[in-house]
Amino acid sequence: MPSANTKTEQPVKLTKHDLFQANWRWLWSSQICWNYERMMSTGYLFTMLPTLKKLYKNERDLIEMMKMHNQFFNTNAYVGGFIVGMDMAIEENKGRKAEETVAGLKAGLMGPFAGVGDTIVGVILPTIFGSIGAYMGLKGNPTGAILWLLVNFTVLILRFFLLPLGYSQGEKLIYAAGDKLNRITDAAILLGVTVVGALIPTVVSANVPLVFKTGKVALKAQTVLNQIMPSLVPVALVAFSYWLLGKKRMNSTRLIVLVLILGIVLGAFGIIGKS
Amino acid sequence: MPSANTKTEQPVKLTKHDLFQANWRWLWSSQICWNYERMMSTGYLFTMLPTLKKLYKNERDLIEMMKMHNQFFNTNAYVGGFIVGMDMAIEENKGRKAEETVAGLKAGLMGPFAGVGDTIVGVILPTIFGSIGAYMGLKGNPTGAILWLLVNFTVLILRFFLLPLGYSQGEKLIYAAGDKLNRITDAAILLGVTVVGALIPTVVSANVPLVFKTGKVALKAQTVLNQIMPSLVPVALVAFSYWLLGKKRMNSTRLIVLVLILGIVLGAFGIIGKS
Amino acid sequence: MPSANTKTEQPVKLTKHDLFQANWRWLWSSQICWNYERMMSTGYLFTMLPTLKKLYKNERDLIEMMKMHNQFFNTNAYVGGFIVGMDMAIEENKGRKAEETVAGLKAGLMGPFAGVGDTIVGVILPTIFGSIGAYMGLKGNPTGAILWLLVNFTVLILRFFLLPLGYSQGEKLIYAAGDKLNRITDAAILLGVTVVGALIPTVVSANVPLVFKTGKVALKAQTVLNQIMPSLVPVALVAFSYWLLGKKRMNSTRLIVLVLILGIVLGAFGIIGKS
Amino acid sequence: MAIAWWQILLLTMLAFWMIIDQITVGILANYPLLYGFIAGIIMGDVKTGLVVGATLQLMVLGVGTYGGASMPDFMTGAIIGTAYAVISGKGIDFAIGLAVPVGLLMVQLDVLARFTNTFFLHRVDRYIEKGDTKRVARNIVYGVFPWGLSRAIPVFVMLLVGNRVVQKIVNAMPEWLSKGLTAAGGILPVVGIAILLRFLPTKRFISYLIIGFLAAAYLKIPMLGVALLGLALAIIYYKQSGHPSKNNHDQQDTHKGGFENAIGEYED
Amino acid sequence: MAIAWWQILLLTMLAFWMIIDQITVGILANYPLLYGFIAGIIMGDVKTGLVVGATLQLMVLGVGTYGGASMPDFMTGAIIGTAYAVISGKGIDFAIGLAVPVGLLMVQLDVLARFTNTFFLHRVDRYIEKGDTKRVARNIVYGVFPWGLSRAIPVFVMLLVGNRVVQKIVNAMPEWLSKGLTAAGGILPVVGIAILLRFLPTKRFISYLIIGFLAAAYLKIPMLGVALLGLALAIIYYKQSGHPSKNNHDQQDTHKGGFENAIGEYED
Amino acid sequence: MAIAWWQILLLTMLAFWMIIDQITVGILANYPLLYGFIAGIIMGDVKTGLVVGATLQLMVLGVGTYGGASMPDFMTGAIIGTAYAVISGKGIDFAIGLAVPVGLLMVQLDVLARFTNTFFLHRVDRYIEKGDTKRVARNIVYGVFPWGLSRAIPVFVMLLVGNRVVQKIVNAMPEWLSKGLTAAGGILPVVGIAILLRFLPTKRFISYLIIGFLAAAYLKIPMLGVALLGLALAIIYYKQSGHPSKNNHDQQDTHKGGFENAIGEYED
Ligand SMILES: OC[C@H]1O[C@H](O)[C@@H](O)[C@@H](O)[C@@H]1O
Ligand SMILES: OC[C@H]1O[C@H](O)[C@@H](O)[C@@H](O)[C@@H]1O
Ligand SMILES: OC[C@H]1O[C@H](O)[C@@H](O)[C@@H](O)[C@@H]1O
């Protein structure tokens, strides 16, 4: 892709203040208008708004880029600033020409960052400090809770370094061979997919509490399912939802209603339980 | 391999009926003349016979192809129909020119299909339904046995879809780049080899029940062997048999006699036991 | 690399006796002047000395090659003879032209051979025969000890086959495509690195025995660390040492003193313990 | 003890802030322990707040809102539970018995809030078309209200009507419904994962999905371990997708390739 | 109770069908439970048949005839065991005590049948040379007799001579022999695996053999898990063995390559 | 029983040989069991020697001197322990109680010996420059003295002064020091591993470092298993780093490539 290396000299340069402002906006807005249809699209748009206004003086360009940035986006808010940073570096250097590259980058990286970010922020940190804090809290001792507050403050401060880091990485990548960005994105996706694969049995908790009895011998449905494969029900549910999402009239809003109803009905009849 | 893309227009076309007939024959004949020398070669030949007669009007061609199809072949009968289907598609389109391709395909796929098929049909299904059925049967309840019969009927019906599936896949592959078939075969072999690697410790059961005593301290031979590697004896036996099969005057018939004698002798002396 | 295939006909040929002599010297000298600065460099040089004198009649060549062979070298002495053998084959055929190749080969292979050799000779063999011998020894029975002596003699004899093996492999590689040697070295390094990765949690034993108490509820520091990752302390220590070794004024001598002091201090205060 | 008006006010504000905090700065995040702690301070009984919060915390360790799925709202549960435990003096078990069903019922309001914001999204679309960046920004910020009120209103009402009414409502919940809601809560993360998989090039990397699954389901490797494995595989992938001839040569200065590198130039 | 002649006939036919079923339609397959069930029906005591079959079934769960290796013939065991348990009225333990050694001894006849068919194979070879497709077909079908008779004859004889004689023969078997046969049964699958490995390009894929072994032997991953792992690795291999430049581009619609996609067109 | 002068002499020689054996022929290697055995023979009480050696052996199973790290010198410990157990007649526990601290203290002398040899290294450097191969060789061999004496002298002295003095010194060691030395012994292998990692192209193969770590730390696969895994991965790497088109063709004789095989000719 030879065009990838063609740098158009744009007079407009982003300053440190621009980066900080983006960081600040990302912090407060990324999920503020979260919705099932496009999840964090508005948050991303809100974050980029000042940058867009600065870079695209032509109104048509501005509108098109706003549209692009209001497409489906969803990632872990704690680490997503990195993607914004990369995006800013690329747009600063290549302007609207980079529209497709940026769309691809966002679509490619959001999943991996969600997987890894959710794991660290949603699983690892709370598991550690939550267990310390809860152990102490059960005795009425607030030390653990206060420690946790301090950790959360520290994490908050650390979040301010991710966007500039993304920005500087993005700058480097622009000068790198055109296909390096793709390879990095691919590698990141690979990591993300691996983590998502592990999320299925970890995060979804469902078993089949049915028990069949013949005389004294009882046969637990879950035991038979486990003989086939561990976490078979979660896998089946994910596969079913994935397949449904590919159907024409299905979208995330409808899917969530459907899964909710399904869960309540199957749960009420005792066919599915939380493991 | 440019020749792979050269399609010779052959007027003879295989019909749905031909596919069904092959399926039927494969079902009844695949192992009917099974023997240690070439295992399922005759079964394969019998299955292909009507197709061969239809395709090769020239008697020399017919004889050569019959010879080729009577070479060593062994796979899991439940899933092997798929290979027959691919073969039929290729021979229909390329005729005798495909002789070598077909021989390679058969040799390449029989192992993987054996590994995967034996696992599903020989290990997984009986483990599940066998345990359900046996649990119920111990109580004199025939439900599990009847359920199992129904499952077996279902599997029997499903087997009728595999050969046509193989046929349609085979047709697609003919038009694909010549090396795609090789890559698929390779990938299938890889899968098969992985499964066979796992079969060794799973299916071969042998340990060394010898115990050495010095005063009160007893040392179990198997404990020491386990410290080296789990399933060391099965691995050693497989390696030994594999090596033997490479010897000039050794064949499968002799090997089985040898292993039988070895097992009886070592077992009688208490050197090897079933774990 | 066409030059790799250019064999300079050198009149000097190494004899079986030369190989045996090298083996003998390697056996006795490889670690005899071991030191923290270059570890087994002198041992390697001493081993190669007769060969060098035979191959390099020109004094300058001899001195340069002695210098090269007195660079840092460290591997497992039991299996390191293989590397010497390969080296001898290459130097015999290419002379001083191979200086860089040999230096690369030595640097590349010493690690993997250390990892694999230490595992077999330092972990597996003593675990097996040590446990047999110790069990018997505890009862005052010398059989196990004597068995172990015999095993060690056998190992000693086997060591005499490794150098000639390396030599013949080295000879083959010279005629192979130039990049095969690199690929083999790389593959060997890969294996070595994998083993080293496993050595970290296996060989380094350190935990944090601190216990925090709040009323009756006690929280073990190690439990929290384990929730993050198993073997976290060993990993952190290795990473720290690795990083230190990259510092300008740090060398292995200083590092060992530092780790010694660190261990004594942290151990004395009960912060780190042997797990 | 009767609850004071300023306590109702503070707890309602805490509830409003609770969901905003989660989706922004993450100081109290979605951790029941911390809300029990703060509610305890407001109610003047830190210990009760901590114990209630800690108990609920242990029920949701590692539970999160992955991919937009809702989690049991034990944060609201901790606020209500602590408040009524202190008011009624009926102790921890009473608080937990109240907090858990409240938390489960609140899930429905989380879903509602996430629905409602779609309204603002479509307004944003309209103003983008007009190039009206101000109104674009403003409508995005409006999202704060569905979020905040979805927690503030129920907490305010529950504190106002008194625990007896709350408990009646909660007790009226039939067993099949609570079983159903529990099951639904267990499988809801499925949606987020399925959406993620749709937006990732899953088919292309299906192998790694399987490997991740095997690692967690069969080998019980915890998340960080799987992430490390994924990292290792990602690096291998990255190196291999580069120039094939490269593997052998980078960092190997001693090896000076001629012929092969010449070929390597045209590759990849 | 004495056995009726039609019962002997039916059980003999069942034994004949038993091996044919296994190698063709697989309705009763090689599952002792089902043969115990049918034999029970024939003998007019379903319950005994089921218990005998179930007991034997649990001994061979997941045991199969991989790569042409023989398995303990507990199917015949189930038939004989059920028949004599009903006739003698000596109960389940007696039946099992008879069925197990019978099943082990019958292994030798399975081996014999598999040997015998070589005879027909060589006749087929001859008729191929002559182009006589009819006789080719006919001789293949003849294989049905060695198979079927290898089971039918011994069952017929055993039912005819009476259980006392059968038991005497069985009891005469010395301990070393039964130990030896058991050990031999344990290691026989080795042959099938070795043959498979000879016909697979094992050396080329030795890595995956090791990986499969490690997964099963060290990590105790069950077969389906290993097959999933193999599938993941196979897909990776398939994608990588394509043209190397491909990895980066397929399915990435946002990325519009020029030169590389032009090449990519011919691939996959 | 009093120790004879020839016993002191023999044990001192054994101590000298002990470290030389380890770094050369490895007959007694670094195995306390064998030194206890030999010391027992010298002291005329094989059984005591064996038990002392065996006890110490069990404490260091699989412990080695990886990458130049020192291990507890329980070989010297076994010699001293056995000698004094026999002399004093105080039994095994006394011997172990003496051997363990002695072994830990001796670590410092191992470190010293490894330092000292640097002196000869620099002399070797000088003589290389002069091309004086004789002196090069001689100075390398001198390394035998720091090694041997580092064990021989302390053993000689300890046997000479008598066990009461030795024990006093040992007892004088405060608890913090013994705890500290134990901890230091546990983490010393870190140095060797770090040096190894510095000399390996670790960054390039970092993925495999992680994989090896995961296998051992998370999955508890023993060393040989990890080595097998590494072997499998190394073979895959080796095959892949060849020309990419190769994978599909080698060893597939049935497939007669034209163009690709022509290229393939130069490979492997
Ligand atoms: O999973 C990624 C991301 O999805 C949604 O946006 C929310 O559920 C977040 O909490 C989560 O981090
Ligand atoms: O292993 C493949 C295949 O080998 C032989 O043909 C028989 O043992 C079959 O039962 C088996 O499925
Ligand atoms: O680790 C490789 C190697 O390092 C040093 O040379 C010594 O500790 C040896 O015992 C060891 O084998």
Side-chain angles (χ1 to χ4, degrees), chain B residues 31 34 40 74-77 114 118, chain E residues 65-69 114 196:
Chain B
Q31 305 187 77
W34 199 102
M40 291 161 66
N74 188 39
T75 197
N76 177 281
D118 283 357
Chain E
T65 66
Y66 312 114
R114 289 170 188 268
L196 255 180

Side-chain angles (χ1 to χ4, degrees), chain A residues 31 34 39-40 74-77 114 118, chain D residues 65-69 114 196:
Chain A
Q31 305 187 76
W34 200 101
M39 302 205 170
M40 291 160 67
N74 189 38
T75 197
N76 177 280
D118 284 357
Chain D
T65 65
Y66 310 114
R114 288 170 187 268
L196 256 180

